[in-house]
Amino acid sequence: MEHVSSSTPRSPEKDDDSPDTWSDDDCFDDAFGDLASLPVETSERRPTCLRCRRPQKVCLCPFLPTQPLDVSTCLYIVQHPAEESRVLRTVPLLVACLPPGKCNVIIGRRFNEAKNPELAEVCQDSRTLILYPGPNSQNLEELIQRPEESAITHNIIIIDGTWSQAKNIFLKNSMLHLPRQVQLNRSLSSQYVIRTQPSNICLSTLECAAVTLSILECNDIFQEVLLKPLKALCSFQLEHGAQVHHSKEHLLKNGMYDKTMPKNKRKIKRLEKLVTDNNCLLR
């Protein structure tokens, strides 16, 4: 900053209020002051239904049961954080169909006993099962037919996320390896047609929960009631411009898979396995 000697007179042509004597700071203060005085536009969020968590204009409560389903099984949904921000997620519909405390959502990628004592306790409970396919998984329907299992009130853990997210959560959290693994061996086709699935037999979290509860509660009505809001959601989206999302398996089988092959070797192997397992052909 330039210092002016007290013995040197100032030029009479310029005074302190002249624009030529303003500092850069004065200019910035003036500019930002003008910006600060502008009215701020606040984006109003659409009113949301407190039960189904959908925008009120597209509320799905008419398709939910009038009263929560009377179930003895307790669900624990281990949810990847990315699912929380998805618009067309199915877990809120599941929560809305069940009594308080019967569908517990735990969000995160990594879990441990200190940070998640409730989940740790559930994983250590001998009555807990985790729905996760694999070589060590038992057929759920066969398991509950055993006399020692039929009288037990089970806890069920379901991982909510994409297949790669679910796999990552399962492999990197040792506490999830404590419960017995079970899988669904029913031949079902997903009705969640507004989201792409790896294969035709892959189900959404809501569909998995619906089938699981119908098996454990020995009541097929549960599956029908739980899938009703999902069907309504998909129908509404399709009526308003959404497209049917075929599974990768379907696209490969019919020569419709037009995406470029991935560069990642693991992704290539997964795609090749999907092709081999389902007798598909790549274009």
Side-chain angles (χ1 to χ4, degrees):
M1 181 177 179
E2 182 180 345
H3 293 272
V4 179
S5 170
S6 58
S7 60
T8 307
R10 289 175 178 260
S11 171
E13 290 83 14
K14 296 181 181 178
D15 55 39
D16 289 343
D17 293 329
S18 169
D20 291 338
T21 62
W22 291 353
S23 68
D24 289 342
D25 289 340
D26 292 331
C27 294
F28 281 123
D29 288 343
D30 189 61
F32 283 113
D34 290 342
L35 287 174
S37 66
L38 292 174
V40 178
E41 290 187 13
T42 55
S43 59
E44 293 184 5
R45 297 190 65 181
R46 290 184 294 176
T48 303
C49 173
L50 296 178
R51 187 182 181 197
C52 70
R53 301 295 175 182
R54 296 276 296 157
Q56 287 181 359
K57 287 186 177 180
V58 288
C59 174
L60 292 174
C61 287
F63 303 96
L64 300 177
T66 308
Q67 297 295 327
L69 296 176
D70 185 15
V71 297
S72 57
T73 307
C74 197
L75 296 179
Y76 289 86
I77 308 298
V78 175
Q79 187 179 75
H80 190 279
E83 286 296 311
E84 194 179 9
S85 60
R86 288 187 183 274
V87 177
L88 300 175
R89 57 195 190 278
T90 63
V91 169
L93 298 176
L94 178 60
V95 174
C97 290
L98 300 177
K102 289 298 184 180
C103 186
N104 307 281
V105 182
I106 304 165
I107 301 170
R109 293 184 181 88
R110 301 290 178 269
F111 306 93
N112 57 58
E113 192 168 356
K115 202 169 63 171
N116 311 96
E118 181 187 10
L119 180 60
E121 185 178 350
V122 170
C123 289
Q124 294 165 11
D125 191 329
S126 61
R127 299 171 302 168
T128 301
L129 307 171
I130 183 167
L131 190 65
Y132 190 83
N136 299 322
S137 293
Q138 304 176 66
N139 181 358
L140 179 60
E141 288 185 279
E142 292 178 359
L143 178 69
I144 65 158
Q145 288 175 3
R146 300 174 187 170
E148 66 273 18
E149 295 287 343
S150 58
I152 295 176
T153 299
H154 291 91
N155 304 310
I156 288 285
I157 296 174
I158 301 175
I159 303 175
D160 181 42
T162 64
W163 282 94
S164 59
Q165 289 168 350
K167 182 179 180 180
N168 193 268
I169 287 175
F170 180 76
L171 294 178
K172 295 192 175 181
N173 290 282
S174 57
M175 69 165 63
L176 297 180
H177 301 169
L178 298 175
R180 288 172 293 169
Q181 280 180 245
V182 293
Q183 62 187 20
L184 304 173
N185 284 9
R186 290 186 178 183
S187 298
L188 299 168
S189 182
S190 178
Q191 298 179 47
Y192 193 27
V193 294
I194 54 176
R195 189 166 172 182
T196 305
Q197 306 287 4
S199 70
N200 294 335
I201 61 171
C202 293
L203 304 177
S204 67
T205 301
L206 175 58
E207 290 171 312
C208 287
V211 177
T212 299
L213 286 175
S214 69
I215 294 172
L216 291 175
E217 302 288 332
C218 302
N219 190 341
D220 286 338
I221 295 296
F222 286 175
Q223 181 177 334
E224 181 182 335
V225 172
L226 287 169
L227 293 185
K228 191 175 179 181
L230 178 65
K231 292 177 183 177
L233 171 64
C234 293
S235 295
F236 179 85
Q237 293 300 127
L238 293 172
E239 287 170 5
H240 290 79
Q243 300 295 318
V244 172
H245 287 226
H246 295 293
S247 69
K248 287 183 181 178
E249 175 191 343
H250 175 88
L251 296 176
L252 290 166
K253 274 185 176 180
N254 293 277
M256 299 163 59
Y257 191 80
D258 54 2
K259 292 184 178 180
T260 56
M261 289 293 288
K263 295 180 180 179
N264 185 292
K265 290 183 179 179
R266 282 185 296 180
K267 288 184 178 179
I268 292 174
K269 285 184 178 180
R270 284 203 299 268
L271 192 58
E272 287 175 345
K273 187 176 186 303
L274 187 62
V275 171
T276 304
D277 292 349
N278 295 285
N279 299 316
C280 304
L281 293 173
L282 281 171
R283 286 200 301 182

